[in-house]
Amino acid sequence: ICLESEEVVVAERPLAVRSGPTFRFESRLPAAEMEFTFSTDHRLTVRSHQPRRRVCKYVVDLRFVDPGAIVGRRIAWRWWQGAAVLAVLAALSQWLPAQLGDAHWQQATWPAAVALAVAAAGLGLVGLLRTRHVVELRSVHGGAPLAGIAGRLGGPRADGSFAAELAQRVDAALAQSAQTKQQFLRDEMREHHRLWSEGVLSDAIYEASKLRILRAHDEGRAPG
């Protein structure tokens, strides 16, 4: 079964549909910004921008967005672990001579302890900078990344508000269009093809998502 066999003509959207709330997220390291605007025709307009790059703007059908968006923190555990190890070594380099009562050794290891403490602070700072808030949207069956930003965002409260609004809008979009699973998968395939043709999805991501949708289509077919 070819899910892309039928030609689809997408009608132009009315001018007065973008009336929903807008959520804006920013990242300083690296510098980037992303804006999500919900509309009354069950679409999500995504606008992303990075310095020295053109503004990227496209529309996603909310029916095919996974409501369980990835909204949270990505912690740089390796940097924090490295900082902890160096801090322990710095403490041990002074604690052991003190336990042995060797003042000369303690004085000799003092520069090394300071250097280890400074290095630990540096790794901790890097870990702090690399610990970021993440917002990422993926398609339901295709698992394709539809939009995402990682960095210094609007804060956990803003992220939670966006996730709640997204879940509510996706439910409304699904309720508006009653479809069988096979019809839904066919339309989801078309949505992926549209995003791929607009340059939103890369060739590799599109092919991988297409295979996932086809697999879900085969699993959903009744035996006969």
Side-chain angles (χ1 to χ4, degrees):
I1 297 176
C2 181
L3 302 181
E4 300 177 58
S5 58
E6 300 178 19
E7 183 179 359
V8 179
V9 178
V10 180
E12 293 186 2
R13 300 170 60 203
L15 296 178
V17 296
R18 191 178 300 172
S19 58
T22 296
F23 294 82
R24 186 170 180 267
F25 301 98
E26 293 182 352
S27 168
R28 295 185 179 179
L29 292 172
E33 65 179 33
M34 182 162 286
E35 187 176 274
F36 300 98
T37 301
F38 294 96
S39 59
T40 55
D41 61 346
H42 307 296
R43 300 289 194 273
L44 177 66
T45 300
V46 181
R47 179 185 178 276
S48 62
H49 175 63
Q50 295 182 8
R52 296 182 296 276
R53 294 187 180 181
R54 66 179 182 86
V55 175
C56 180
K57 186 176 180 180
Y58 55 95
V59 177
V60 177
D61 192 325
L62 283 172
R63 290 180 299 161
F64 311 116
V65 177
D66 187 349
I70 300 176
V71 179
R73 293 181 180 179
R74 182 179 297 164
I75 301 176
W77 290 112
R78 292 186 178 181
W79 292 96
W80 287 108
Q81 291 171 353
V85 170
L86 292 180
V88 170
L89 291 177
L92 287 176
S93 66
Q94 291 299 295
W95 180 78
L96 287 177
Q99 293 298 313
L100 296 175
D102 191 338
H104 178 71
W105 185 20
Q106 187 175 12
Q107 185 177 3
T109 57
W110 178 253
V114 172
L116 288 172
V118 171
L123 288 183
L125 179 60
V126 174
L128 180 63
L129 294 175
R130 288 181 174 268
T131 297
R132 303 169 180 172
H133 290 297
V134 178
V135 175
E136 185 177 53
L137 306 184
R138 290 185 174 270
S139 56
V140 179
H141 295 95
L146 304 177
I149 184 173
R152 187 175 179 180
L153 307 181
R157 182 174 299 178
D159 296 347
S161 300
F162 172 73
E165 184 71 26
L166 176 67
Q168 180 180 355
R169 296 275 177 168
V170 170
D171 289 342
L174 293 174
Q176 183 71 19
S177 176
Q179 293 179 300
T180 66
K181 183 178 180 180
Q182 306 308 313
Q183 292 172 333
F184 182 90
L185 290 170
R186 180 195 61 196
D187 289 348
E188 184 177 0
M189 177 75 83
R190 290 171 172 171
E191 177 73 355
H192 282 72
H193 185 270
R194 180 183 67 82
L195 293 173
W196 167 76
S197 64
E198 294 179 2
V200 178
L201 302 180
S202 66
D203 293 344
I205 291 177
Y206 172 63
E207 292 298 330
S209 63
K210 184 165 62 174
L211 289 177
R212 296 189 191 101
I213 295 175
L214 289 172
R215 190 179 301 117
H217 181 273
D218 293 338
E219 292 173 355
R221 286 187 303 177

